[in-house]
Amino acid sequence: MVRFKNRYFLVGFRFASQEESARALKILTHKSLVDLIRDAILSLHGQYGVSCVQKSLSVKYITLTLASPLSDVRGTTIAQVWAALTTITNIQQCPCTAQVLHLGGTIQSCQKFLIKYNTQKLRGMLRESDSLAERKRMGEKIKAVLQRDSVALNV
């Protein structure tokens, strides 16, 4: 018996401004994101690409605050989906760029990567902060988030 291996894409969307990001992510749903990816595959690989991906493409969850959806695809269509994701240039008429942050074999590995990625971004913001009080406040928040996420993931 052959086991199908699924892979999970963690994608980050970068918008030109916060207003555009908030407007696009307010109306972004699982179905609209699947349709967006399917349209990108159609324009890049044609009907053959869509038919290969059709059955296995799904969006598991969307982190609206970070604009990071997690998409599930079958292992044989990884290259097609990755290429299509990088060609997405707008969401809901808001210009953006899509960047594949991580490709994992399990949802948990993607969650761990997202925690690590966001921690690095927060620490970068901490280094750039001006006042000592702001640094202390941000440091406490980072510790609280890390503790909460490590408990949630049983790390």
Coordinates of all heavy atoms in Angstrom, one line a residue, residues 28-41 53-54 56-60 62 69-72 88:
L28 N -10.8 37.9 3.3 CA -10.1 36.7 2.8 C -10.6 35.5 3.6 O -10.6 35.5 4.8 CB -8.6 36.9 3.0 CG -7.7 35.8 2.5 CD1 -7.8 35.8 0.9 CD2 -6.3 35.9 2.9
T29 N -11.1 34.5 2.8 CA -11.6 33.3 3.4 C -10.8 32.1 2.9 O -10.0 32.3 1.9 CB -13.1 33.1 3.1 OG1 -13.2 32.9 1.7 CG2 -13.9 34.2 3.6
H30 N -11.0 30.9 3.4 CA -10.3 29.7 3.0 C -10.7 29.5 1.5 O -9.8 29.2 0.7 CB -10.8 28.5 3.8 CG -10.2 28.5 5.2 ND1 -10.4 29.5 6.1 CD2 -9.5 27.6 5.8 CE1 -9.8 29.2 7.2 NE2 -9.2 28.0 7.1
K31 N -11.9 29.6 1.1 CA -12.4 29.4 -0.2 C -11.8 30.4 -1.2 O -11.3 30.0 -2.3 CB -13.9 29.4 -0.3 CG -14.4 29.0 -1.7 CD -15.9 29.1 -1.8 CE -16.5 28.8 -3.1 NZ -15.8 29.2 -4.3
S32 N -11.8 31.7 -0.8 CA -11.3 32.7 -1.7 C -9.7 32.5 -1.9 O -9.2 32.8 -3.0 CB -11.6 34.1 -1.2 OG -10.9 34.4 0.0
L33 N -9.0 32.0 -0.9 CA -7.6 31.8 -1.0 C -7.3 30.6 -1.9 O -6.4 30.6 -2.8 CB -7.0 31.6 0.3 CG -5.4 31.6 0.3 CD1 -4.9 32.9 -0.3 CD2 -4.9 31.4 1.7
V34 N -8.1 29.5 -1.8 CA -8.0 28.4 -2.6 C -8.3 28.8 -4.1 O -7.5 28.4 -5.0 CB -8.9 27.2 -2.2 CG1 -9.0 26.1 -3.3 CG2 -8.4 26.6 -0.9
D35 N -9.3 29.6 -4.3 CA -9.6 30.1 -5.7 C -8.5 30.9 -6.2 O -8.1 30.8 -7.4 CB -10.9 30.9 -5.7 CG -12.1 30.0 -5.4 OD1 -12.0 28.7 -5.6 OD2 -13.2 30.5 -5.0
L36 N -7.9 31.8 -5.4 CA -6.8 32.6 -5.8 C -5.6 31.7 -6.2 O -5.0 32.0 -7.3 CB -6.4 33.5 -4.7 CG -5.3 34.5 -4.9 CD1 -5.8 35.6 -5.9 CD2 -4.8 35.2 -3.6
I37 N -5.2 30.7 -5.4 CA -4.1 29.8 -5.8 C -4.5 29.0 -7.0 O -3.6 28.9 -7.9 CB -3.8 28.9 -4.6 CG1 -3.3 29.7 -3.4 CG2 -2.8 27.8 -5.0 CD1 -3.2 28.9 -2.1
R38 N -5.7 28.6 -7.1 CA -6.1 27.8 -8.3 C -6.0 28.7 -9.6 O -5.6 28.2 -10.6 CB -7.6 27.3 -8.1 CG -8.0 26.2 -9.1 CD -9.3 25.6 -8.8 NE -9.2 24.8 -7.6 CZ -10.0 24.9 -6.6 NH1 -11.0 25.8 -6.6 NH2 -9.9 24.2 -5.5
D39 N -6.4 29.9 -9.5 CA -6.3 30.8 -10.6 C -4.9 31.1 -11.0 O -4.5 31.2 -12.2 CB -7.0 32.2 -10.3 CG -8.5 32.0 -10.2 OD1 -9.1 31.0 -10.7 OD2 -9.1 33.0 -9.7
A40 N -4.0 31.2 -10.0 CA -2.6 31.4 -10.3 C -2.0 30.1 -11.0 O -1.2 30.2 -11.9 CB -1.8 31.7 -9.0
I41 N -2.4 29.0 -10.6 CA -2.0 27.7 -11.2 C -2.5 27.6 -12.6 O -1.8 27.2 -13.5 CB -2.4 26.5 -10.4 CG1 -1.6 26.5 -9.0 CG2 -2.1 25.2 -11.1 CD1 -2.2 25.4 -8.1
V53 N -3.7 19.5 -9.3 CA -3.7 20.0 -7.9 C -5.1 20.0 -7.3 O -5.3 20.0 -6.1 CB -3.1 21.5 -7.9 CG1 -3.3 22.2 -6.6 CG2 -1.7 21.4 -8.4
Q54 N -6.1 19.9 -8.2 CA -7.5 20.1 -7.8 C -7.9 19.3 -6.5 O -8.5 19.9 -5.6 CB -8.4 19.7 -8.9 CG -9.9 19.9 -8.7 CD -10.3 21.4 -8.9 OE1 -9.6 22.1 -9.6 NE2 -11.4 21.7 -8.2
S56 N -6.1 17.8 -4.2 CA -5.3 17.9 -2.9 C -5.1 19.3 -2.3 O -4.6 19.4 -1.2 CB -3.9 17.3 -3.2 OG -3.2 18.1 -4.1
L57 N -5.5 20.3 -3.1 CA -5.3 21.7 -2.6 C -6.3 22.1 -1.6 O -7.5 22.0 -1.8 CB -5.3 22.6 -3.8 CG -5.0 24.1 -3.4 CD1 -3.6 24.3 -2.9 CD2 -5.3 25.0 -4.7
S58 N -5.9 22.5 -0.4 CA -6.8 23.0 0.6 C -6.0 24.0 1.5 O -4.8 24.0 1.6 CB -7.4 21.9 1.5 OG -6.4 21.3 2.2
V59 N -6.7 24.9 2.1 CA -6.1 25.8 3.1 C -6.5 25.4 4.5 O -7.7 25.3 4.8 CB -6.6 27.3 2.8 CG1 -6.1 28.2 3.9 CG2 -6.1 27.7 1.4
K60 N -5.6 25.1 5.3 CA -5.9 24.6 6.6 C -6.3 25.7 7.6 O -7.2 25.5 8.3 CB -4.7 23.8 7.2 CG -4.4 22.5 6.4 CD -5.6 21.6 6.5 CE -5.3 20.3 5.7 NZ -6.4 19.4 5.7
I62 N -5.7 30.3 8.4 CA -5.2 31.6 8.0 C -4.9 32.4 9.2 O -5.9 32.5 10.1 CB -6.2 32.3 7.1 CG1 -6.5 31.5 5.8 CG2 -5.6 33.7 6.7 CD1 -7.6 32.1 5.0
P69 N -1.2 32.1 5.6 CA -2.0 30.9 5.4 C -1.2 29.7 5.4 O 0.0 29.7 5.0 CB -2.7 31.2 4.1 CG -1.8 32.0 3.3 CD -1.1 32.9 4.3
L70 N -1.8 28.6 5.7 CA -1.2 27.3 5.6 C -1.9 26.4 4.6 O -3.1 26.2 4.9 CB -1.2 26.6 7.0 CG -0.5 25.3 7.2 CD1 1.0 25.4 7.0 CD2 -0.8 24.7 8.5
S71 N -1.3 26.1 3.5 CA -1.9 25.3 2.5 C -1.4 23.9 2.5 O -0.2 23.6 2.7 CB -1.7 26.0 1.1 OG -2.1 27.3 1.1
D72 N -2.3 23.0 2.2 CA -2.0 21.5 2.1 C -2.1 21.1 0.7 O -3.0 21.3 0.0 CB -3.1 20.8 2.9 CG -2.9 19.3 2.9 OD1 -1.8 18.9 2.7 OD2 -3.9 18.6 3.2
I88 N 1.4 35.3 -7.3 CA 0.3 36.1 -6.8 C 0.7 37.5 -6.5 O 1.7 37.7 -5.8 CB -0.3 35.4 -5.5 CG1 -0.9 34.1 -5.9 CG2 -1.4 36.3 -4.9 CD1 -1.3 33.3 -4.7

